Amino acid sequence: MSPRRVTLGDVAQRASVSVATVSRALSGDSQISEATQQRVRQVASDLRYIPNVAARSLVLQSSATFGLMTPDVTDPIHGQVVTGFQQRAAERGYSVILANGFRDAETERRSLREFAAHRVAGVAVMGSVLRQTEVKRLLSPSPTLFIGSDHLPAVGTDLDLPRGCVRPDDRDGMDQVVAHLIERGYRTVAYVSGSSGANQIVRRDALIAALAARGAPQPVVFQADDVDDAGLQAVTAQILRRRPDVVVCYDDKTALSLMDELRTAGVNLPDEVGVVGFDDIPFARISNPRLTTVSQRSDELGRISAEFLLATLDGKRLPLSQLMPVTLVVRETTPGPRRRAGTKAKKSTVPVAIR
Amino acid sequence: MSPRRVTLGDVAQRASVSVATVSRALSGDSQISEATQQRVRQVASDLRYIPNVAARSLVLQSSATFGLMTPDVTDPIHGQVVTGFQQRAAERGYSVILANGFRDAETERRSLREFAAHRVAGVAVMGSVLRQTEVKRLLSPSPTLFIGSDHLPAVGTDLDLPRGCVRPDDRDGMDQVVAHLIERGYRTVAYVSGSSGANQIVRRDALIAALAARGAPQPVVFQADDVDDAGLQAVTAQILRRRPDVVVCYDDKTALSLMDELRTAGVNLPDEVGVVGFDDIPFARISNPRLTTVSQRSDELGRISAEFLLATLDGKRLPLSQLMPVTLVVRETTPGPRRRAGTKAKKSTVPVAIR
DNA sequence: TTGTATGCGTTATCAC
DNA sequence: GTGATAACGCATACAA
């Protein structure tokens, strides 16, 4: 049926040389005369020769391929990381096999085994629910890189592993957030966790620490385990009751969804309550009101990750773990607290002129 | 350095059988006695044996791998398609190599050659700038599938190829949009194209056709070649001048961005102008105001695509091309036209009682 | 029921 | 400079 694909042998025959010569010529071996190089290349091109990477990686004992596992590319942040990673890998001639783990342990294990079966040159893992030791064991001896803060086994450590971790500097991000909130005059702050996962704990603790460092009151923490539906509505109800000045959310997606719920509940944003996100996804810039958030260059995160893996190719160890810088982007959701009519605090603290 | 990986031979030796027996036992060959099957599996597991897919695909002349090319996974729609595709492929034991084409011809060619080098069992292409014939030639003899409407060489055809195309039913979607707009009383409609690409032409023409079919006036078409900045601002200026009742956008991203621009320009949405998107990305549901749009199950699109490729594995031809159903989701951006104070039309048509 | 031998396409180690 | 040839790890046709 399908016409057998053209091999080195075909090219060799057509060019009247040996397969060895073709192999060398195509790889630009300087031992081959310029003349034959030209001729071989020409023939290869004429015949539409395309090397078989399976054969190559079989003899080379490694494939020019990386594995990349994410929870789910649907998330804008994951998408950006994947894009950056793939782009950088491609620039260096590497392919990337993508796997979605869906935060399911068995699915993740299958994916990692698949990577191992492909004898990938390296693997980057984002937001796995597996323990890092297990991930490394499954993939060994391929170098394994962890992207983002969603792996920390012990919260409170800044970096879990001394090498092979790349993630945004959540601590610093939250610090910038807190500085901004205080400067704008916000007093009571709440934290809303989004999805489950270690990352949101890292950010929560970072917020708590940042608040404490500046002598500000501790935040009220709302857990919204189920982001999509009931969870956020429950949180909204809580917010309506507790009336914090500002709500810091685990990420932009949570923040934007929460804003929608609050709007549904008739809350006037950002006057009645401020909102802060995290990640600076594209839609944070054009939401209404526009979301104040912590910006991270996720595509850079992806590119750096690929770079890390690339750096291990010549037998070197993984580069030291690294925190990526983040910057607060102040937009419209944190204008500062407004006096609310009928608020007790106002009545009791603001002197009223009697006449 | 790295401890040589365990092979079939290692398992064979440890289990005191031949490699052939191990190979057969592991693939569940019924010719092997139950006893040895058990033992071999046990040993393989103990030794942490992981098959080498390179060797396997070399002898099998095909790899359990699909190639998937998208313009850029950052786009929510692409992300969903990729997720669905990868998920379905994984369910059947297939890996997927992801490549971003970035709408650059050379980058795309490199990616496709990479797929060919991997001897992938099939390729799905989304939004390529290459001609379909070239894509097929580059990939031949691997079956090639086209996802979405971004390939049509000739606009006006519903489906370019009789086989191997899967895309949402843009025609029907625009028809539903027009029906809705007319029912709500909108008269003048404008169309805003987003990114370049064939897809937006398809949708534009679908809108034109739908309008014509119902005897409604033709739309004004605004071209926003550069979605991000200047393009949309120019379009906004145009809209301010022409004042259409409603603006139908190429996709949600364009619609949401436009809404942001309009808001910046002080336009009161949706009262002064209605907005319609296309795709129903997650943020369309929580925008303010919430976006009326055409919903397509993009994850399903991805899954179906993988299914199509899977269906060709036993030597069959690609399934017939298919249009995926879409449904209009009416939300808040199309409440119907409001009377605008100071509008000439109003003054001249509405009789005013003299007193 | 199991073992032996061959070949898949490539790179690399030798010869020449 | 170039040509044989031996791996690489696996699946299978053919023997036993």
Side-chain angles (χ1 to χ4, degrees):
Chain A
M1 180 81 230
S2 42
R4 199 181 51 77
R5 311 193 77 136
V6 10
T7 72
L8 270 194
D10 299 327
V11 179
Q13 192 173 356
R14 185 75 169 277
S16 310
V17 288
S18 71
V19 282
T21 301
V22 176
S23 175
R24 288 191 270 242
L26 258 30
S27 67
D29 191 323
S30 57
Q31 294 195 313
I32 302 296
S33 75
E34 193 57 40
T36 33
Q37 290 235 7
Q38 293 289 338
R39 190 157 43 88
V40 169
R41 284 182 198 289
Q42 183 60 51
V43 173
S45 163
D46 289 350
L47 258 38
R48 294 230 160 76
Y49 168 72
I50 291 184
N52 185 328
V53 297
R56 178 179 291 167
S57 56
L58 189 57
V59 50
L60 257 29
Q61 299 275 52
S62 98
S63 70
T65 303
F66 289 141
L68 176 56
M69 195 178 79
T70 96
D72 182 349
V73 222
T74 294
D75 185 290
I77 291 297
H78 298 161
Q80 282 177 263
V81 173
V82 170
T83 301
F85 185 91
Q86 192 276 327
Q87 186 177 31
R88 184 73 193 104
E91 286 169 5
R92 295 283 298 267
Y94 277 70
S95 300
V96 2
I97 301 181
L98 179 78
N100 296 107
F102 297 114
R103 302 199 179 277
D104 175 71
E106 240 353 281
T107 306
E108 291 193 358
R109 287 197 192 93
R110 259 200 310 276
S111 303
L112 298 182
R113 266 193 287 268
E114 200 63 36
F115 290 161
H118 277 275
R119 302 297 191 260
V120 293
V123 174
V125 172
M126 203 175 348
S128 168
V129 295
L130 266 27
R131 293 202 325 279
Q132 290 185 320
T133 51
E134 181 177 6
V135 173
K136 292 217 155 222
R137 186 172 56 70
L138 247 27
L139 260 17
S140 166
S142 298
T144 308
L145 185 78
F146 294 90
I147 307 178
S149 314
D150 238 349
H151 315 272
L152 303 189
V155 177
T157 21
D158 248 345
L159 247 16
D160 35 353
L161 265 29
R163 292 175 170 276
C165 289
V166 195
R167 61 187 184 94
D169 195 344
D170 300 287
R171 294 285 257 250
D172 182 55
M174 278 304 181
D175 215 61
Q176 294 184 44
V177 167
V178 167
H180 167 66
L181 294 182
I182 289 178
E183 189 225 315
R184 287 277 163 106
Y186 288 110
R187 296 296 298 166
T188 56
V189 357
Y191 174 79
V192 176
S193 73
S195 58
S196 52
N199 201 4
Q200 57 110 332
I201 296 183
V202 172
R203 289 185 181 170
R204 182 198 64 192
D205 289 357
L207 174 65
I208 291 175
L211 247 15
R214 293 174 190 267
Q218 286 304 295
V220 196
V221 173
F222 298 128
Q223 196 80 14
D225 279 332
D226 184 351
V227 194
D228 292 332
D229 299 72
L232 267 187
Q233 285 178 21
V235 169
T236 300
Q238 289 286 321
I239 289 174
L240 253 28
R241 200 135 43 94
R242 310 282 291 261
R243 287 287 174 175
D245 290 341
V246 60
V247 181
V248 177
C249 298
Y250 159 64
D251 67 358
D252 288 350
K253 213 162 55 171
T254 306
L256 262 13
S257 301
L258 180 67
M259 282 164 64
D260 185 58
E261 288 290 348
L262 288 170
R263 189 162 69 88
T264 301
V267 176
N268 188 9
L269 295 177
D271 290 346
E272 291 186 47
V273 56
V275 178
V276 177
F278 212 108
D279 286 347
D280 196 21
I281 62 176
F283 291 98
R285 237 184 46 224
I286 58 176
S287 65
N288 179 14
R290 300 185 185 88
L291 184 64
T292 291
T293 187
V294 176
S295 180
Q296 50 162 310
R297 293 287 311 276
S298 302
D299 51 341
E300 264 309 310
L301 193 59
R303 291 184 66 88
I304 292 271
S305 302
E307 201 59 52
F308 267 42
L309 254 21
L310 254 6
T312 67
L313 294 183
D314 16 80
K316 293 215 197 71
R317 298 166 66 189
L318 274 164
L320 293 172
S321 293
Q322 190 174 321
L323 286 176
M324 302 289 291
V326 300
T327 56
L328 177 72
V329 181
V330 176
R331 288 197 270 246
E332 302 173 343
T333 53
T334 50
R338 296 292 200 277
R339 293 277 129 76
R340 284 195 290 271
T343 298
K344 229 203 259 167
K346 187 185 176 184
K347 284 190 179 169
S348 57
T349 54
V350 178
V352 176
I354 299 178
R355 207 215 162 258
Chain B
M1 179 84 229
S2 43
R4 198 182 50 77
R5 312 192 76 136
V6 12
T7 72
L8 270 194
D10 300 328
V11 179
Q13 193 173 354
R14 186 75 168 280
S16 312
V17 289
S18 71
V19 282
T21 301
V22 176
S23 174
R24 289 191 267 245
L26 257 30
S27 66
D29 191 324
S30 58
Q31 294 194 317
I32 302 296
S33 76
E34 193 56 40
T36 33
Q37 290 234 8
Q38 293 289 337
R39 190 157 43 87
V40 169
R41 285 182 198 286
Q42 182 61 49
V43 172
S45 163
D46 289 351
L47 258 35
R48 293 230 161 75
Y49 168 73
I50 291 184
N52 185 328
V53 295
R56 178 179 291 167
S57 56
L58 191 56
V59 49
L60 256 27
Q61 297 276 52
S62 98
S63 69
T65 304
F66 290 140
L68 177 56
M69 195 178 79
T70 94
D72 183 349
V73 221
T74 294
D75 185 288
I77 291 297
H78 298 161
Q80 282 177 264
V81 173
V82 169
T83 301
F85 185 91
Q86 192 276 327
Q87 187 176 32
R88 185 72 192 104
E91 287 169 5
R92 295 282 299 267
Y94 277 70
S95 301
V96 3
I97 301 181
L98 179 77
N100 296 107
F102 297 114
R103 301 199 180 277
D104 175 71
E106 240 352 281
T107 306
E108 290 193 357
R109 287 197 192 92
R110 259 200 309 278
S111 303
L112 298 183
R113 266 192 288 267
E114 201 63 36
F115 290 162
H118 277 276
R119 303 295 190 261
V120 294
V123 174
V125 172
M126 202 175 348
S128 168
V129 295
L130 266 27
R131 295 202 323 280
Q132 290 186 318
T133 52
E134 181 178 3
V135 173
K136 292 218 154 216
R137 187 172 53 70
L138 247 27
L139 260 17
S140 166
S142 298
T144 308
L145 186 78
F146 294 90
I147 307 179
S149 314
D150 237 349
H151 315 272
L152 303 188
V155 178
T157 20
D158 248 347
L159 248 17
D160 35 355
L161 265 29
R163 291 175 171 275
C165 290
V166 195
R167 61 188 186 93
D169 195 343
D170 302 286
R171 292 284 258 249
D172 181 55
M174 279 304 180
D175 215 62
Q176 294 184 46
V177 168
V178 167
H180 167 66
L181 295 183
I182 289 178
E183 189 224 316
R184 285 279 162 106
Y186 288 109
R187 294 297 297 166
T188 56
V189 359
Y191 174 78
V192 175
S193 74
S195 59
S196 51
N199 201 3
Q200 57 112 332
I201 297 185
V202 172
R203 289 184 181 169
R204 182 198 63 192
D205 289 356
L207 174 64
I208 292 176
L211 247 14
R214 294 176 190 265
Q218 286 304 294
V220 196
V221 173
F222 298 129
Q223 196 80 14
D225 279 332
D226 185 352
V227 195
D228 293 332
D229 300 72
L232 266 188
Q233 286 177 22
V235 168
T236 302
Q238 290 285 322
I239 290 174
L240 253 27
R241 199 137 42 96
R242 309 282 291 259
R243 289 287 175 173
D245 289 340
V246 60
V247 181
V248 177
C249 298
Y250 159 64
D251 65 0
D252 287 351
K253 211 161 58 172
T254 306
L256 262 14
S257 301
L258 180 67
M259 282 164 64
D260 185 58
E261 289 291 347
L262 288 171
R263 190 162 69 88
T264 302
V267 176
N268 188 9
L269 294 177
D271 289 346
E272 290 188 47
V273 54
V275 179
V276 177
F278 212 108
D279 284 348
D280 196 23
I281 63 177
F283 291 99
R285 237 184 45 223
I286 60 175
S287 65
N288 178 13
R290 301 186 185 88
L291 184 63
T292 292
T293 187
V294 176
S295 180
Q296 49 162 309
R297 291 288 311 276
S298 301
D299 50 340
E300 263 309 310
L301 192 58
R303 291 185 66 89
I304 290 271
S305 301
E307 200 61 51
F308 266 42
L309 254 22
L310 254 7
T312 67
L313 293 183
D314 15 79
K316 292 215 199 70
R317 298 167 66 190
L318 275 163
L320 293 173
S321 294
Q322 191 173 320
L323 286 176
M324 301 288 292
V326 299
T327 56
L328 177 72
V329 181
V330 176
R331 290 198 268 246
E332 301 174 342
T333 54
T334 51
R338 297 292 201 276
R339 290 279 128 78
R340 287 194 290 272
T343 298
K344 227 205 265 172
K346 186 183 175 184
K347 284 191 178 168
S348 57
T349 55
V350 178
V352 176
I354 297 176
R355 206 210 165 261

